[in-house]
Amino acid sequence: AQKVTQAQTEISVVEKEDVTLDCVYETRDTTYYLFWYKQPPSGELVFLIRRNSFDEQNEISGRYSWNFQKSTSSFNFTITASQVVDSAVYFCALSEAHDMRFGAGTRLTVKP
Amino acid sequence: DTAVSQTPKYLVTQMGNDKSIKCEQNLGHDTMYWYKQDSKKFLKIMFSYNNKELIINETVPNRFSPKSPDKAHLNLHINSLELGDSAVYFCASSQDWAALNTIYFGEGSWLTVV
C-alpha cells in the first residue's frame, strides 16, 4: 500500500524566512508520481508540481524549489523568502495506480 | 472559465435529508473523482469514474451515490444525511485513466449537516 507522511503538522515562520516542508513516501512500485498541492485559506486545491519517479532532478520555480531523493523516499518542498501569501496548507501526494493518496498536510503560517 | 466547477459551494442541511452536489469539467478529461476532506484536513478519495464508468469505489456508505451522465459531469447524491457527513467535498478530473496524470480540483463544496 502506498503511504505519504508529512511529519510537520504546523509550521510558523516570519516573512522572508526560508522554510522546508517535508514529505516521505512509501511505495512498492518503481513507476509513480509525486505531487504538491497548496490549499490557501479560501479552500481550493492548487496544483504546484508533479515529478515522476525516474526524474530526480531538483526543480526551481521562482521562490519554490523541490528536492526529490529516491534514496530516502523524500520529496521536500522549500519556499525561499517566504511571504504572507504563502500561508496555506500544503499537501504532498503520491500516485501509482490510478488514484492519488495524500499526506495529512502541513499548515504553514507566515507572519509579517 | 473555471476548469472544474462544482455547485453548491456551501450547503447547510438537516440530518436525514437528501442532497446533491453537481460537478462539471470543461478540460476534456476522461476521468473524474470525488474526494472528501474532513475537519482535520485529511483528503481521501471516494469515487473515480473513467468515461462514465465507475473505476474506484472506496469504502463509502451506500448512501453516497455518484452519477456520471457524461464524461464531463460527475454528480454526487447523498441520502439520509448524517452529522458525520459534514465535510468539504472536492470534485476533480484528470486527462485519462492511464494513471499518474495530474488531478485538477474544483473549489470544494462545504457541506454542514445539523
Side-chain angles (χ1 to χ4, degrees), chain A residues 12-98:
Chain A
S12 182
V13 298
V14 177
E15 212 171 14
K16 298 184 183 177
E17 284 185 21
D18 299 347
V19 58
T20 295
L21 311 180
D22 297 334
C23 174
V24 175
Y25 62 93
E26 294 176 33
T27 179
R28 293 179 182 176
D29 276 16
T30 56
T31 302
Y32 53 89
Y33 276 76
L34 295 161
F35 299 79
W36 277 95
Y37 284 83
K38 174 182 179 180
Q39 187 174 37
S42 51
E44 71 272 25
L45 281 160
V46 179
F47 165 73
L48 295 178
I49 189 172
R50 181 177 84 162
R51 171 69 69 212
N52 77 56
S53 53
F54 299 108
D55 182 2
E56 286 193 73
Q57 268 193 320
N58 291 332
E59 180 152 342
I60 298 175
S61 176
R63 296 183 297 106
Y64 294 172
S65 62
W66 291 268
N67 182 277
F68 175 30
Q69 292 196 343
K70 287 179 76 170
S71 60
T72 55
S73 296
S74 64
F75 186 44
N76 297 336
F77 173 29
T78 297
I79 302 175
T80 305
S82 59
Q83 300 176 0
V84 173
V85 293
D86 296 327
S87 296
V89 180
Y90 291 86
F91 292 94
C92 180
L94 168 68
S95 178
E96 59 180 352
H98 307 301

Side-chain angles (χ1 to χ4, degrees), chain B residues 82-103:
Chain B
E82 300 177 358
L83 292 177
D85 297 332
S86 296
V88 184
Y89 292 86
F90 284 95
C91 179
S93 73
S94 63
Q95 185 170 352
D96 54 39
W97 188 240
L100 314 178
N101 284 300
T102 300
I103 295 180

Side-chain angles (χ1 to χ4, degrees), chain B residues 21-90:
Chain B
I21 306 172
K22 295 184 177 180
C23 179
E24 175 182 7
Q25 53 93 5
N26 62 7
L27 297 167
H29 288 169
D30 287 344
T31 305
M32 296 186 72
Y33 310 81
W34 278 106
Y35 279 80
K36 179 180 179 180
Q37 186 174 42
D38 62 25
S39 58
K40 296 183 179 178
K41 293 288 191 180
F42 187 67
L43 271 162
K44 185 174 167 59
I45 191 167
M46 299 173 68
F47 302 102
S48 174
Y49 271 71
N50 186 59
N51 273 321
K52 302 190 299 176
E53 289 189 21
L54 180 65
I55 302 297
I56 289 177
N57 184 351
E58 292 288 303
T59 308
V60 176
N62 57 15
R63 298 181 294 104
F64 289 78
S65 53
K67 284 188 172 52
S68 182
D70 55 62
K71 72 175 190 177
H73 296 83
L74 181 61
N75 303 323
L76 182 64
H77 189 76
I78 315 171
N79 290 327
S80 303
L81 278 156
E82 300 177 358
L83 292 177
D85 297 332
S86 296
V88 184
Y89 292 86
F90 284 95

